[in-house]
Amino acid sequence: MPYSHLDLSNRDSQVQLTAALEGLRQELELRADFPPEVLAEAKAAVDSFVPPERDLTGLGFITVDPPGSTDLDQAFHLERAGSGYRVWYAIADVPAFVAPGGAIDTEARLRGQTMYAPDGRISLHPEKIAEDAASLLPGRNRSAFVWEFELDEAAQVESVVVGRAVVRSRAQLTYDQVQEDLDSGGAAENLTLLKEIGTKRIALEKERGGASLNLPEQEIAHDGERYFIVTRPPLASEDWNAQLSLMTGMAAAEIMLEGGVGILRTMPAPDETSLARFRHQARALGRSWPANVPYGEFLRSLDTSDPRQLSLMHAAASLFRGAGYTAFDGAVPESVEQAAIAAPYAHTTAPLRRLVDRFVLVTCEALCAGRDVPDWVRKALPELNALMSSSNQLASRLESGAIAAVEAALLSNRVGEEFDAVVITGSKPSPDASVNANGNGAPHGVIQVADPAVEARCDGVMTAGDEVRVRLVTADIARRELRFELVRSVRQEESPSESESAAG
């Protein structure tokens, strides 16, 4: 796993970074502390909680999450059922601790989701709920919304129902542990079935034309002394685990569509102009997209360790735009599909960390039980799109701002040095643009530096996919700004004879 540490000899950089991250929180007006009435209501809700009657603690549920996670939303237990499978998928029973219209509910609507910053998480719910009473921690009885799936031999859903029950997780695993167990050949049945079912669900995703951007992950970590950036490709175990969540979200959407009430996560299909532009980019980068291959299958074929294919994967982000939430109560909306998934879909598997999931869970459980969906859910549905859109924008600004601050600190003592990089987004000359002192208005693109692995603006005329040499000109921690300038490209370094030979 490649990573880059801050230079511990440069104490000033660390002081500036701490100030920059705190400034980012203030700038975004993040709600770090819970009001006293919210904490008091959380304590009362936990103290008076009555678990559901159904007991499923005899099933071998496990959780799979990033290391150190304490807000555990999902647990699964997998079984063979004849030639097919039975999937038990437990989701944290957050609604049991959040009174509609109460202090926790009101605060959660203001927050929208849990925010993740390098200097600490900002939770959607109080810690007493998010990291204890509602979290599916190992070795503890917990109430959950349990989804029961019957799958055929191809892992296609034959039936599904959801209801509340008490569960008990047997183990809390990380993705690395799951991958290592499976690669060693000594994994327990729960994990071997995760791989088996996940692989078949990926095949079904390809058949229906679904797609995902499997870009290398970049995240900020802290080891108690210093911040550092970790960049790694996603593990296969993450993809298999994600397929269970996607399956549940698709099932939730179908239940709500059949019941005539709910809220979907929707996204329009790419328009012809965007598709044509991406096909052109693919040809230019040496990976033509065959007309008979769905774009999801094409994206899965890309090798992001290849700089040109990594650039193409970044370009594919232009196809994943316009996502939002579509609420309905009565008439089913005309557009119900999430185009990247290639099916109707709903957010339902992360209620500890995302506001909308709580309402989807209650809706689906009521519909499966043949009860009316509660009025407090119906009244909230029209408001959720705006609440979640605002929250998503805030989370995006926090993530990008935090990464920019850490990257600037990482390179703050290396201004003037040259680095190898690959062009992620190309640029075009704009001779008529006025250029200010910061270079704004000049032609520029986006590069990914090889070491340390950071993405940043680079001034100059460049083409996506090119390998280039760049010089660092700005690393401003307080302003969270990192900027390079183009020195030369690989093409510029080739001699005429080398170019002619390559062309031949």
Side-chain angles (χ1 to χ4, degrees):
M1 181 181 296
Y3 61 90
S4 303
H5 283 296
L6 293 181
D7 183 358
L8 285 178
S9 65
N10 189 352
R11 305 298 301 182
D12 185 53
S13 291
Q14 295 183 71
V15 172
Q16 291 183 58
L17 176 59
T18 299
L21 292 174
E22 178 58 32
L24 179 62
R25 284 174 176 256
Q26 295 175 3
E27 176 186 319
L28 298 180
E29 298 181 344
L30 299 178
R31 303 177 65 85
D33 298 323
F34 286 97
E37 62 270 22
V38 173
L39 297 177
E41 186 176 289
K43 182 180 185 305
V46 173
D47 291 344
S48 63
F49 171 70
V50 178
E53 293 182 2
R54 191 180 186 198
D55 187 342
L56 294 178
T57 56
L59 297 179
F61 284 98
I62 61 172
T63 62
V64 184
D65 291 275
S69 297
T70 52
D71 50 349
L72 309 184
D73 280 295
Q74 313 109 19
F76 63 82
H77 173 68
L78 311 176
E79 302 174 349
R80 296 193 184 278
S83 60
Y85 310 92
R86 182 174 293 109
V87 174
W88 306 80
Y89 201 61
I91 308 298
D93 187 1
V94 176
F97 301 96
V98 181
I104 301 173
D105 185 20
T106 300
E107 184 69 17
R109 296 187 195 211
L110 292 173
R111 296 180 179 229
Q113 63 186 283
T114 295
M115 303 286 176
Y116 293 92
D119 54 347
R121 178 176 58 209
I122 302 167
S123 294
L124 175 62
H125 301 102
E127 180 180 335
K128 195 172 190 65
I129 293 173
E131 300 181 51
D132 188 4
S135 181
L136 303 181
L137 298 167
R140 305 185 191 179
N141 288 1
R142 289 291 183 260
S143 178
F145 285 80
V146 181
W147 296 73
E148 302 173 42
F149 292 90
E150 297 290 339
L151 310 182
D152 65 14
E153 187 175 4
Q156 188 74 265
V157 176
E158 293 187 319
S159 67
V160 59
V161 66
V162 59
R164 294 176 69 234
V166 177
V167 301
R168 187 179 182 88
S169 172
R170 297 292 196 272
Q172 179 180 353
L173 305 179
T174 67
Y175 295 110
D176 285 327
Q177 287 174 321
V178 171
Q179 193 70 55
E180 290 170 4
D181 284 351
L182 286 166
D183 290 346
S184 70
E189 184 179 53
N190 233 356
L191 297 185
T192 59
L193 288 178
L194 175 66
K195 178 179 180 179
E196 194 172 316
I197 294 170
T199 301
K200 291 182 177 181
R201 292 296 302 179
I202 291 170
L204 293 173
E205 180 179 84
K206 291 179 181 178
E207 288 179 15
R208 67 175 186 269
S212 59
L213 286 175
N214 290 320
L215 285 165
E217 292 186 3
Q218 187 181 54
E219 58 188 36
I220 301 168
H222 191 267
D223 63 5
E225 294 183 341
R226 51 192 173 181
Y227 291 99
F228 55 96
I229 296 172
V230 179
T231 303
R232 63 171 178 79
L235 297 169
S237 59
E238 296 176 72
D239 204 352
W240 301 325
N241 191 58
Q243 288 299 321
L244 297 184
S245 179
L246 288 171
M247 180 175 70
T248 305
M250 291 164 63
E254 293 296 339
I255 290 170
M256 292 187 293
L257 287 170
E258 185 176 340
V261 58
I263 183 166
L264 307 176
R265 179 64 166 167
T266 53
M267 187 175 76
D271 58 46
E272 289 303 318
T273 300
S274 298
L275 289 171
R277 183 187 303 114
F278 184 68
R279 286 187 184 279
H280 174 74
Q281 290 172 308
R283 285 195 301 273
L285 292 171
R287 279 297 303 250
S288 292
W289 175 12
N292 63 337
V293 175
Y295 77 96
E297 185 174 341
F298 176 67
L299 293 182
R300 281 190 176 275
S301 74
L302 298 179
D303 177 7
T304 54
S305 65
D306 180 316
R308 294 170 71 83
Q309 294 185 53
L310 174 63
S311 175
L312 186 56
M313 186 71 86
H314 277 272
S318 64
L319 305 177
F320 293 77
R321 291 180 176 171
Y325 294 89
T326 300
F328 58 99
D329 192 350
V332 172
E334 182 177 341
S335 298
V336 300
E337 193 166 281
Q338 211 282 15
I341 295 173
Y345 175 72
H347 275 156
T348 188
T349 62
L352 288 172
R353 293 170 284 168
R354 194 168 48 211
L355 174 68
V356 67
D357 301 49
R358 172 161 54 95
F359 297 86
V360 173
L361 283 170
V362 172
T363 300
C364 290
E365 192 271 339
L367 291 172
C368 284
R371 300 193 310 269
D372 289 337
V373 175
D375 286 341
W376 63 267
V377 173
R378 292 180 184 268
K379 290 178 181 178
L381 292 178
E383 306 170 2
L384 291 175
N385 181 44
L387 294 175
M388 290 305 304
S389 294
S390 175
S391 176
N392 286 336
Q393 291 172 13
L394 190 62
S396 178
R397 290 173 61 193
L398 173 62
E399 179 182 17
S400 60
I403 288 178
V406 174
E407 288 179 339
L410 179 67
L411 293 169
S412 60
N413 62 338
R414 302 184 67 180
V415 173
E417 291 186 27
E418 293 185 5
F419 301 83
D420 293 320
V422 62
V423 180
I424 297 299
T425 304
S427 58
K428 294 182 180 180
S430 50
D432 297 331
S434 59
V435 181
N436 63 22
N438 293 323
N440 295 327
H444 62 275
V446 177
I447 59 166
Q448 177 165 313
V449 177
D451 184 20
V454 301
E455 292 178 22
R457 166 181 165 150
C458 183
D459 295 337
V461 179
M462 60 200 77
T463 302
D466 277 359
E467 296 181 36
V468 293
R469 188 74 174 170
V470 299
R471 180 182 296 111
L472 178 63
V473 295
T474 301
D476 191 318
I477 302 171
R479 297 176 59 183
R480 306 188 297 276
E481 181 183 354
L482 197 63
R483 185 162 60 90
F484 293 80
E485 64 181 7
L486 178 66
V487 176
R488 60 186 177 275
S489 71
V490 170
R491 292 178 182 176
Q492 291 172 325
E493 290 182 312
E494 290 178 347
S495 66
S497 59
E498 288 174 331
S499 300
E500 292 168 2
S501 175

